[in-house]
Amino acid sequence: MFVWSKRGNYNHEYHHKQSKYVVKEYSSSKAMEERYEHKTQARIQEVVRTKMADKYVREEPMIRGPKFLVRLRSHTVFENTTVKLFCTVEGFPMPIVKWYKDGVILDMSSQKYLIEAKSGIHTLEIPRCSTDDTAQYTAMAGNLHGQASTQASVIVKTAMLPKIHYTKIHITFVDKFGPVFASEGGSASLTATMTLNPNLANLQPEAQWYRDETRLFDSKWVKIETGRGVTTLSIPNLYKDDEGLYTLRMVTKGGTAVHSAFVSVADGPPPVPNAPGAPMDIKIHDANRDYVIVSWKPPNTTTEGPILGYFVDKCEVGTENWTQCNDHPIKICKYPVSGLFEGHSYHFRVRAVNSHGISKPSRMSDPIAALDPTEFERLKAKKLGGTLDVVFYHFDIEDEGKPPGSPSGIYASEIDRTYVVLSWKAPAYSSKAPMWYYIEKSMADSDAWQRVNTQVPIRSPRYAAFDLAEGKVYKFRVLSANIYGTSEPSQPTGPIQTNELKGVPSAPGQVIATRETDTSVLIQWAPPKEPNNLIGYYIDQCVKGSKDWTSANHKPRKDARFVVSGLTKGETYVFRVQAINEIGLSDESQESAPLTVKAALTTPSAPYDVALLNCDGHSMVLNWKKPLQSGGANIKEYYVDKRRSGTAIWRETHLPPVTERVYKVEGLTDGAVYQFQVYAANLAGLGPASKHSADFTCKAWTMPEPGPAYDLTFCEVRDNSMVVEWKKPIYTGSGPVSGYHIEYAKKGTSDWTTANEKAVSNRFLKVTSLEAGSSYDFRVRAVNAAGVGMASMPSDPVTAKAVSGSQEVSCVVDAKSGDIVLSFESCQMNDGSKFIWKKDYKEITDFSKGLVIKTEGTHSKLIFKNPDKEDFGTFSVSVTNTTGVSSSYSISSEVIPLKSELAYKILERGRVRFWLQAEEISSNVTYKFFANNKELSGADPNKMGHDVPTGVIEFIMDRFTEENEGTFTCQITDGGGKAQSSLVLIGDAFKAALAEADYQRREYIRVKEGPHFSEFLSLQIGDDCSVTLVCKVANLKKESEFHWYREDTEIIPDVKPDLGSGVCKLPIKLFSLKTAGLYKATISDDRGKDMSQIDISGKGASAAELVIHCTATGIQLQCHMKYYTSEMNITWYHGETKLSHSDKVVIGGTPAMATMEVIEPLEKDKGMYSIIITNPENSHKRTLDLSGDDRGKVVGGLPDVVTIMEKKTLSLTCTVCGDPKPQVSWLKNGADVEPDDQYVVSLDQGKFASLTIKGVMMEDSGRYTMIVQNKYGGESVDIVVSVYRHGEKIPEAKPTLTPKTIIPPKLPIEIPQPKIQAAPTPAPAAQSSTPPKAAPGRGVKSPTPSRRK
């Protein structure tokens, strides 16, 4: 129970907290134990209430003494084995547990014992027990509310244990994590994948992660995931504290596999420009009842101004209220924070200050409780027996009323510039009255003592005396006191001198940089001569000559060596070093000598997989694989040794060494069995020997099948494919090799799959359908007339995964010369790396036909000076001395690559811009635009152009109308390259585009508010062949003027324009070459001017393409013309034969159309028909193919008229034909039939077309048209559908006889597939108050001049 002593009332200048006492009572009776527990609990509750009132504590969880939930358990073990003792304790604040062996605290400096504590679970581990470890072990837990203990015995027996042979698990890293370069606030993930051999489910390795030799565990700062051959360490929120060398150790009983990489964490964006980086590595020292000492490390200031000081912030655990602890910046990296509440836990953080502002805060510290660390050590424990285990505190039966004795053994445990931490031994004290201490100080040469604690009573035999003078000599003494008086002072300490501010360390010594890898350099330096409490070093780097210094590390490094990673291969750098202590950074060291980043040279690794390619009974042909590591230099030569199987002496087989990996060993004994080994050598020296070959018997090969192929190589490795190449067998068997089979199997399996069922004659094959990320072995078998030969030596495993950063070959057309250029940029380049270009995987050696290879740095180009059809094929490029960097490109007739396909945009005035963008074009590029296979003119008011720098080709259509619905195509020719792109604008997409164009036109007119043409000039041809120009104008006023022009010469008509009606006409009475030309009309007033023009040159260019019209007597060809003049001469041809008017051929027409009809056409009438329109200056020709062999046709099955009752189902079905298979579309009253739940459109097997209407309604009556068409043309058929209601008389529908319409083929022949382009957003309603403004296209000139007021 708790016992309180409170005698009398006393007035003291200090307010003291009454101590609590716990007594232990023994009872063998169960009833007494229950009464004891009841009293104890009641007394505890009373003490808790009192403590809460005294300490202003309101949280119930903060008044719990230590309690063991799981107690220690005794163990008996054998020598050299491991034993672990576990216990679980609870309490608040979290109890501190100390371990004792036979009553003596454990010596942790021996590093024999491993202690862990996590979330109240405490573990003591003895890795290799000896007989000396036999003892009783005690775990003592205590906090400011009490103390508890638990005990267990460990007995170590001596035994002759058999030697344990652990299973050796070979761990091979498949993918390793590399250096990471990130910034504060970001995240990082380190992942390693590995293979285990053997892979045993119950013997999986343990993944241990370290940062700078500090073991990492899963926490809120780092997340660790391990399983299935993959381990990942993730850092979700990076701080500079996370910078360091990260090491993964895969630990097994038989060994450890290790991999390391550096993680660099740079400063994040500062709160204000040029503010310093955040401090780091916040540590808490000497935590006590009301103060802690906080230390940290300063940031690097390579580019920022010097640091003026630091602010320390604190935050109580469970809140987010950060308060600043110091009013003024402190200049050193250590600060005592006082004024804490006992029993409360806090976080701390630090901010740096310079002349520009304050940095971001550092990462907050781990929580620390304000507790007296020595209080629980003064508790007494006594075991009275029985089932209760109670600890008593400051309790003994003695007389009271005496002051305590004097403390002793006072000394300074820590000395700083402005404070000293004092420790002493408490006097023997057994009174129930509380005891406290006074500390007094004096200058060393004086006897004038002064108390240093005038505010806070001290109950702990450890305290920090603050506010001391820097560099002064003091002495201290301690007095103990209680309510009965004060003891004599202790013996004073010896002279204690506070530290003086010695300044920053001196500059480090000579800096030496040496090569490490292709991207890293090893830096070493001499430590400073005056370290002055050195914390670490910062390393800076700079490209030679730039003076642009950057930090290589952002967290101080303790060692005088550092590997700088992330450098650029081939670049030259210089380095410098700064030392730091708690005051700041030293001067920079001298710069290192310039060093070019390059891998250090080493000897090559061993060759491997020695294979036998042929044997004739007295010699053998050997082949081997080159070393995996060349050592940074080319392999210059190989050495081959031999020995008889079963012997130990190796003998050289040749002098001098060989340079190729195929070697014929002569002088062998027939029937003898040999083994061989191979060495590789480079500039650095001779590497290790290969593993000896299998036993090879020297016996002549006589089998009829071929021997093995060899030297399998791989290129163009992608996620699902790769290209395999090999060399032909040395031994061909009884006949020549006719082909090869390639087999592959997943790594670790023997399930070989043949990639090609039919043997290939080439010595390369692209293997497809691989699984991304999987590794495969490959082998090759040669084939001759006798059969399939021996398999080659399996290749090394190759993973189906594209090289990181790899790029593909690009194809461009030179802007100046028009040459075709294949370009490739390698993501890797090493010493000796070369670009090798191949055509169809055979190296290009013939450059006589205009092929040129140009290589600069990491770029290589293959240029075709005179491209022709012989250059079609697959061109590949590979880069030697890399990890398989390669790519290929297939050249066909269309080699101009496009960045974007043909697209459109609605411009101001309702004009439409059609455009596409090529990768690259030259100034000699030519192009054509087509609308529904009719070439579009770029003459005014339209506009057509291109831009060489951007590769943009565009056509701007001035008027976009309903007639423009269909397919737009752009054909490009540039040098020997061609390209074509099409845009389909039909249906809803076209309607949306047309609506947007109309809206933009109306909006332009509304905004301009001037006179304008509501309808532009058009041509009307009367029945008497008279020609009239017509237009409409709008938004006029009385002063508006209208004028006519021909070829910029004004025309004064006989009758003035009728501006009141808005319709203006100009009749041309005698239309001929003299009256033809470019006509213009203008309307203007003081608000602006508008113009419209039309070209009626009468040169035949207005003639449309020939179309087919079926008549009752034959087939009629029609050529529509906008106008016709008397000077024009029209001639018709069938092939090369000129046609004349006859009973078989009827030639005629109207003023707007020329016709030619073939009466009752026969087989001989098929062929090419043409019309030639000539005038005195030139001629124009239109042609049409009437062969009709492959065009789309309706064979039969459709009726002319259908009558059907309402709510029935109608099915219109017929048979169609054509080659290629035609496309079928349906119209209803001229509008597209949109398939839905009611209308079902189908084309089965390309032959049977049908339209099914479910639940026919009265609205479904009308004329239906089926259109059958392919690239050679087609035809359309009309069906009249009449729907009647139930009970009504069946109507007699009499359709208007409409002949079957023949659809001519489209030009060019190839028509694109119907692909609906997404239309722009439809224009808003006209009443919108803020309509959108269409951006005009680049370089577009409006056909109508802008109006000026």
Side-chain angles (χ1 to χ4, degrees):
M1 66 177 63
F2 291 87
V3 180
W4 286 78
S5 175
K6 190 172 183 181
R7 299 184 179 178
N9 295 323
Y10 61 94
N11 294 323
H12 197 278
E13 59 178 331
Y14 301 106
H15 174 67
H16 298 288
K17 301 175 184 178
Q18 295 178 331
S19 299
K20 60 183 177 180
Y21 299 89
V22 181
V23 299
K24 180 177 180 184
E25 180 176 293
Y26 172 78
S27 174
S28 59
S29 168
K30 186 172 183 180
M32 293 180 66
E33 290 177 3
E34 291 176 354
R35 289 196 301 272
Y36 171 79
E37 287 183 357
H38 175 73
K39 294 180 180 180
T40 301
Q41 292 298 327
R43 194 59 177 161
I44 287 176
Q45 293 176 6
E46 179 185 351
V47 172
V48 167
R49 286 192 297 270
T50 306
K51 285 297 249 183
M52 289 176 64
D54 289 347
K55 291 194 172 187
Y56 304 97
V57 177
R58 298 295 181 267
E59 296 87 353
E60 286 293 334
M62 299 184 66
I63 55 172
R64 297 200 308 269
K67 178 181 179 182
F68 281 99
L69 303 179
V70 178
R71 308 181 71 82
L72 296 179
R73 185 170 59 88
S74 298
H75 292 266
T76 300
V77 296
F78 288 102
E79 197 174 16
N80 295 323
T81 59
T82 299
V83 64
K84 284 187 178 181
L85 302 179
F86 295 89
C87 64
T88 303
V89 66
E90 70 170 3
F92 192 90
M94 180 62 70
I96 300 174
V97 174
K98 293 197 174 184
W99 293 87
Y100 294 83
K101 176 183 177 183
D102 288 338
V104 179
I105 193 167
L106 283 180
D107 181 12
M108 301 306 299
S109 62
S110 64
Q111 298 184 352
K112 181 176 182 180
Y113 305 101
L114 302 178
I115 293 178
E116 291 185 0
K118 185 176 182 181
S119 301
I121 301 175
H122 298 264
T123 305
L124 170 64
E125 179 180 355
I126 308 174
R128 296 176 61 85
C129 292
S130 65
T131 55
D132 295 336
D133 294 317
T134 299
Q136 186 178 61
Y137 291 86
T138 303
M140 182 74 71
N143 61 14
L144 60 87
H145 299 296
Q147 178 175 292
S149 65
T150 178
Q151 296 177 340
S153 298
V154 174
I155 300 175
V156 181
K157 293 185 177 182
T158 302
M160 298 298 293
L161 296 176
K163 185 177 181 181
I164 300 175
H165 297 277
Y166 295 109
T167 301
K168 179 66 174 179
I169 299 178
H170 297 276
I171 301 176
T172 303
F173 288 108
V174 177
D175 288 322
K176 303 177 182 178
F177 54 89
V180 175
F181 299 92
S183 300
E184 281 188 304
S187 61
S189 181
L190 307 180
T191 300
T193 60
M194 65 212 73
T195 59
L196 311 178
N197 187 21
N199 190 355
L200 305 177
N202 58 341
L203 286 178
Q204 292 294 302
E206 179 187 7
Q208 297 180 357
W209 288 89
Y210 294 82
R211 179 176 60 232
D212 297 330
E213 302 303 323
T214 299
R215 177 81 180 272
L216 300 177
F217 298 93
D218 200 69
S219 66
K220 67 177 180 179
W221 305 119
V222 295
K223 303 295 181 184
I224 299 175
E225 296 179 357
T226 303
R228 296 181 179 270
V230 180
T231 180
T232 300
L233 181 140
S234 301
I235 309 175
N237 190 14
L238 285 168
Y239 286 87
K240 289 187 292 185
D241 306 65
D242 298 312
E243 182 175 277
L245 183 67
Y246 283 74
T247 302
L248 170 63
R249 296 175 182 169
M250 299 302 299
V251 181
T252 67
K253 296 293 185 180
T256 302
V258 180
H259 174 66
S260 300
F262 188 75
V263 174
S264 173
V265 183
D267 288 306
V272 295
N274 297 319
M280 71 212 77
D281 202 13
I282 310 302
K283 302 292 184 184
I284 308 300
H285 310 273
D286 199 52
N288 217 304
R289 289 177 184 268
D290 64 339
Y291 75 89
V292 296
I293 297 175
V294 182
S295 68
W296 58 91
K297 293 179 181 178
N300 197 356
T301 55
T302 304
T303 57
E304 301 85 1
I307 292 177
L308 303 178
Y310 302 91
F311 285 115
V312 180
D313 303 332
K314 68 179 178 181
C315 174
E316 190 167 350
V317 173
T319 70
E320 296 182 356
N321 300 322
W322 288 93
T323 58
Q324 187 172 297
C325 301
N326 51 316
D327 297 330
H328 303 286
I330 53 174
K331 294 186 177 181
I332 62 171
C333 298
K334 182 181 285 188
Y335 181 70
V337 179
S338 58
L340 307 181
F341 290 101
E342 182 179 359
H344 290 218
S345 296
Y346 297 87
H347 293 292
F348 296 91
R349 70 183 188 187
V350 183
R351 294 170 292 150
V353 185
N354 67 5
S355 59
H356 298 282
I358 303 177
S359 73
K360 288 183 177 180
S362 66
R363 174 189 280 177
M364 68 180 182
S365 68
D366 292 332
I368 188 72
L371 297 173
D372 180 2
T374 64
E375 181 174 355
F376 85 98
E377 295 180 0
R378 303 193 305 276
L379 303 178
K380 301 297 181 179
K382 184 175 182 182
K383 193 167 184 67
L384 302 179
T387 59
L388 298 179
D389 188 12
V390 183
V391 178
F392 67 91
Y393 180 32
H394 285 316
F395 182 81
D396 200 351
I397 304 301
E398 290 186 3
D399 293 336
E400 298 197 20
K402 297 180 180 179
S406 299
S408 60
I410 182 173
Y411 67 97
S413 59
E414 183 179 350
I415 302 174
D416 205 276
R417 296 167 45 254
T418 59
Y419 68 88
V420 172
V421 179
L422 299 172
S423 299
W424 59 88
K425 184 178 180 181
Y429 187 69
S430 57
S431 175
K432 297 178 182 179
M435 179 180 67
W436 60 92
Y437 300 96
Y438 300 117
I439 298 177
E440 296 180 342
K441 68 178 180 181
S442 172
M443 305 303 293
D445 55 356
S446 171
D447 290 329
W449 292 93
Q450 177 187 2
R451 286 190 179 178
V452 299
N453 55 316
T454 59
Q455 297 295 328
V456 181
I458 303 173
R459 294 214 175 92
S460 169
R462 176 184 174 91
Y463 196 77
F466 297 112
D467 300 326
L468 303 180
E470 184 178 325
K472 298 296 183 179
V473 181
Y474 294 89
K475 55 185 179 180
F476 299 89
R477 68 185 186 185
V478 181
L479 301 87
S480 58
N482 62 9
I483 60 176
Y484 304 110
T486 303
S487 72
E488 292 295 325
S490 67
Q491 290 295 322
T493 63
I496 298 175
Q497 184 176 7
T498 55
N499 296 332
E500 290 188 81
L501 186 63
K502 295 182 180 180
V504 298
S506 59
Q510 182 181 8
V511 180
I512 300 174
T514 55
R515 291 177 181 173
E516 182 81 3
T517 68
D518 287 339
T519 58
S520 63
V521 168
L522 173 62
I523 308 299
Q524 301 178 83
W525 59 90
K529 294 181 179 179
E530 298 179 6
N532 293 343
N533 298 322
L534 180 72
I535 292 178
Y537 302 93
Y538 282 124
I539 300 91
D540 298 335
Q541 66 190 43
C542 173
V543 175
K544 180 184 177 183
S546 71
K547 299 301 180 183
D548 184 14
W549 290 95
T550 58
S551 298
N553 65 313
H554 308 88
K555 178 181 176 181
R557 308 297 299 176
K558 294 182 179 179
D559 299 330
R561 54 179 286 142
F562 182 70
V563 176
V564 181
S565 303
L567 304 178
T568 303
K569 182 181 179 182
E571 191 67 81
T572 302
Y573 293 85
V574 292
F575 302 88
R576 70 186 185 192
V577 182
Q578 285 181 284
I580 61 170
N581 64 3
E582 61 185 13
I583 299 175
L585 280 73
S586 71
D587 294 333
E588 295 93 351
S589 67
Q590 292 184 353
E591 297 178 5
S592 69
L595 180 70
T596 301
V597 180
K598 195 176 182 181
L601 293 181
T602 60
T603 58
S605 58
Y608 61 104
D609 285 355
V610 180
L612 179 63
L613 302 182
N614 191 17
C615 180
D616 58 9
H618 56 80
S619 65
M620 293 184 181
V621 179
L622 304 178
N623 167 252
W624 54 88
K625 295 178 181 178
K626 61 183 179 182
L628 296 175
Q629 305 296 332
S630 65
N634 292 330
I635 304 296
K636 295 180 60 179
E637 52 201 14
Y638 294 95
Y639 297 84
V640 181
D641 292 350
K642 69 177 180 181
R643 72 179 179 187
R644 289 284 188 96
S645 180
T647 65
I649 299 176
W650 290 96
R651 301 183 185 277
E652 294 184 3
T653 62
H654 56 89
L655 284 174
V658 296
T659 57
E660 301 295 332
R661 288 184 294 106
V662 176
Y663 178 65
K664 187 175 184 180
V665 183
E666 304 277 5
L668 303 179
T669 303
D670 188 11
V673 181
Y674 292 90
Q675 292 177 341
F676 301 90
Q677 68 179 16
V678 184
Y679 299 82
N682 64 5
L683 288 175
L686 187 68
S690 68
K691 181 181 178 181
H692 67 75
S693 69
D695 291 344
F696 295 151
T697 302
C698 187
K699 186 176 181 180
W701 287 5
T702 58
M703 64 275 195
E705 297 83 5
Y710 64 100
D711 270 8
L712 274 66
T713 57
F714 303 87
C715 62
E716 299 178 46
V717 179
R718 300 296 183 263
D719 290 343
N720 302 104
S721 65
M722 64 184 71
V723 175
V724 187
E725 300 179 75
W726 59 90
K727 293 183 179 179
K728 63 182 180 181
I730 301 295
Y731 178 79
T732 59
S734 60
V737 174
S738 60
Y740 301 89
H741 286 292
I742 292 81
E743 300 174 347
Y744 63 91
K746 277 194 174 183
K747 180 183 176 183
T749 68
S750 57
D751 299 330
W752 291 94
T753 302
T754 302
N756 56 316
E757 295 299 331
K758 183 178 179 181
V760 294
S761 57
N762 297 318
R763 293 197 299 275
F764 65 88
L765 179 71
K766 185 173 184 178
V767 181
T768 59
S769 301
L770 301 179
E771 184 179 330
S774 296
S775 298
Y776 295 87
D777 298 323
F778 293 84
R779 66 186 186 188
V780 179
R781 293 182 184 269
V783 180
N784 64 6
V788 180
M790 299 171 58
S792 66
M793 177 76 73
S795 69
D796 292 338
V798 184
T799 302
K801 183 179 181 181
V803 177
S804 177
S806 62
Q807 303 183 30
E808 301 296 339
V809 173
S810 62
C811 179
V812 297
V813 179
D814 188 85
K816 296 181 179 179
S817 64
D819 298 337
I820 297 175
V821 181
L822 298 183
S823 179
F824 180 70
E825 181 179 3
S826 176
C827 59
Q828 301 177 9
M829 290 296 290
N830 298 312
D831 289 340
S833 293
K834 296 180 181 179
F835 290 89
I836 299 179
W837 286 92
K838 300 178 181 180
K839 180 181 179 182
D840 295 329
Y841 297 98
K842 293 182 180 179
E843 187 172 356
I844 298 173
T845 56
D846 183 9
F847 299 96
S848 62
K849 296 183 179 181
L851 284 178
V852 177
I853 296 176
K854 291 185 178 180
T855 300
E856 294 181 3
T858 61
H859 291 76
S860 184
K861 297 179 179 179
L862 178 64
I863 304 173
F864 298 81
K865 292 290 186 180
N866 302 305
D868 56 26
K869 293 183 179 180
E870 294 181 359
D871 294 319
F872 295 163
T874 300
F875 289 83
S876 62
V877 59
S878 59
V879 186
T880 62
N881 227 8
T882 63
T883 58
V885 176
S886 56
S887 182
S888 66
Y889 189 90
S890 295
I891 295 183
S892 61
S893 58
E894 297 180 356
V895 298
I896 301 178
L898 300 179
K899 281 188 177 179
S900 61
E901 297 292 335
L902 187 62
Y904 78 95
K905 181 179 181 180
I906 308 299
L907 304 180
E908 190 182 51
R909 279 180 161 269
R911 295 171 297 167
V912 180
R913 177 190 183 224
F914 296 92
W915 65 279
L916 57 77
Q917 186 175 15
E919 290 283 352
E920 190 171 358
I921 56 175
S922 70
S923 57
N924 299 322
V925 65
T926 60
Y927 42 88
K928 296 179 181 179
F929 282 85
F930 297 87
N932 295 324
N933 302 316
K934 180 180 178 181
E935 185 175 355
L936 300 174
S937 171
D940 285 339
N942 298 331
K943 184 176 179 63
M944 185 164 56
H946 67 276
D947 184 54
V948 173
T950 61
V952 172
I953 300 173
E954 65 179 8
F955 176 87
I956 298 178
M957 180 178 289
D958 185 70
R959 296 193 64 187
F960 190 67
T961 65
E962 293 180 352
E963 297 177 357
N964 300 123
E965 182 174 12
T967 301
F968 294 82
T969 303
C970 179
Q971 295 178 347
I972 312 172
T973 302
D974 196 358
K978 297 180 181 180
Q980 176 173 312
S981 182
S982 297
L983 171 67
V984 179
L985 274 179
I986 61 175
D988 292 341
F990 173 79
K991 293 176 182 177
L994 183 61
E996 174 69 5
D998 291 340
Y999 171 79
Q1000 292 296 342
R1001 179 181 297 278
R1002 294 193 306 270
E1003 190 66 10
Y1004 178 85
I1005 294 171
R1006 186 186 69 80
V1007 173
K1008 294 299 182 181
E1009 294 182 352
H1012 60 271
F1013 288 89
S1014 58
E1015 291 187 11
F1016 290 106
L1017 284 174
S1018 61
L1019 196 67
Q1020 289 184 355
I1021 301 176
D1023 295 337
D1024 58 351
C1025 294
S1026 62
V1027 177
T1028 304
L1029 299 182
V1030 181
C1031 64
K1032 291 184 179 181
V1033 292
N1035 200 19
L1036 306 179
K1037 65 180 185 178
K1038 184 177 180 180
E1039 292 79 10
S1040 300
E1041 296 181 359
F1042 187 92
H1043 298 277
W1044 291 99
Y1045 297 89
R1046 176 182 173 271
E1047 301 293 350
D1048 296 329
T1049 300
E1050 186 174 1
I1051 300 173
I1052 306 299
D1054 295 338
V1055 180
K1056 291 186 178 181
D1058 184 9
L1059 298 183
S1061 65
V1063 179
C1064 301
K1065 297 183 179 181
L1066 177 67
I1068 303 175
K1069 297 179 180 179
L1070 297 175
F1071 185 65
S1072 63
L1073 285 177
K1074 293 182 180 179
T1075 58
L1078 181 65
Y1079 284 80
K1080 297 181 182 179
T1082 64
I1083 182 70
S1084 63
D1085 56 29
D1086 58 350
R1087 295 171 297 168
K1089 180 180 180 181
D1090 198 3
M1091 182 267 291
S1092 178
Q1093 63 183 17
I1094 186 171
D1095 185 3
I1096 51 173
S1097 60
K1099 297 179 181 180
S1102 66
E1105 298 292 339
L1106 290 174
V1107 296
I1108 300 173
H1109 181 68
C1110 293
T1111 67
T1113 56
I1115 297 176
Q1116 187 183 74
L1117 302 187
Q1118 300 175 347
C1119 180
H1120 293 269
M1121 294 180 288
K1122 292 183 179 178
Y1123 38 78
Y1124 178 79
T1125 66
S1126 58
E1127 291 85 351
M1128 295 182 183
N1129 184 24
I1130 296 177
T1131 307
W1132 290 90
Y1133 288 87
H1134 180 204
E1136 302 295 330
T1137 304
K1138 182 178 179 180
L1139 299 177
S1140 300
H1141 186 83
S1142 65
D1143 294 339
K1144 180 69 175 178
V1145 178
V1146 179
I1147 297 176
T1150 67
M1153 179 177 66
T1155 63
M1156 189 278 296
E1157 183 176 0
V1158 181
I1159 306 300
E1160 296 181 357
L1162 303 175
E1163 187 70 23
K1164 66 178 182 179
D1165 295 319
K1166 293 182 178 180
M1168 185 69 70
Y1169 286 82
S1170 59
I1171 182 175
I1172 298 178
I1173 306 171
T1174 60
N1175 59 36
E1177 295 182 6
N1178 50 29
S1179 64
H1180 298 272
K1181 184 178 182 181
R1182 302 290 185 265
T1183 60
L1184 179 64
D1185 188 2
L1186 273 185
S1187 60
D1189 290 338
D1190 300 314
R1191 68 177 176 84
K1193 301 176 184 177
V1194 179
V1195 178
L1198 282 176
D1200 295 330
V1201 179
V1202 175
T1203 56
I1204 187 170
M1205 189 171 67
E1206 193 178 20
K1207 298 183 180 180
K1208 298 291 184 180
T1209 297
L1210 172 64
S1211 180
L1212 302 178
T1213 305
C1214 69
T1215 304
V1216 299
C1217 65
D1219 185 18
K1221 293 180 179 179
Q1223 300 175 7
V1224 176
S1225 58
W1226 293 82
L1227 304 177
K1228 176 187 176 184
N1229 298 329
D1232 289 334
V1233 174
E1234 298 292 341
D1236 55 18
D1237 293 339
Q1238 184 186 13
Y1239 289 84
V1240 180
V1241 178
S1242 66
L1243 179 61
D1244 188 16
Q1245 302 177 10
K1247 297 170 58 180
F1248 307 105
S1250 67
L1251 169 63
T1252 302
I1253 307 176
K1254 301 177 181 179
V1256 176
M1257 297 180 293
M1258 298 299 295
E1259 294 81 3
D1260 294 322
S1261 297
R1263 181 182 299 277
Y1264 289 80
T1265 304
M1266 186 184 74
I1267 301 174
V1268 182
Q1269 186 179 11
N1270 63 10
K1271 67 180 181 179
Y1272 297 112
E1275 60 190 31
S1276 63
V1277 177
D1278 291 342
I1279 309 98
V1280 176
V1281 176
S1282 178
V1283 182
Y1284 64 94
R1285 291 187 174 90
H1286 179 70
E1288 291 182 354
K1289 182 180 178 180
I1290 300 177
E1292 295 181 3
K1294 296 181 179 180
T1296 302
L1297 292 178
T1298 303
K1300 183 184 294 184
T1301 303
I1302 307 299
I1303 301 174
K1306 294 188 176 183
L1307 296 176
I1309 290 296
E1310 187 73 40
I1311 61 174
Q1313 296 296 321
K1315 177 181 178 184
I1316 305 301
Q1317 284 276 22
T1321 304
Q1327 63 268 23
S1328 174
S1329 59
T1330 57
K1333 182 179 179 181
R1338 177 192 55 78
V1340 178
K1341 182 179 179 182
S1342 172
T1344 304
S1346 60
R1347 304 181 179 90
R1348 296 181 177 85
K1349 293 183 179 180

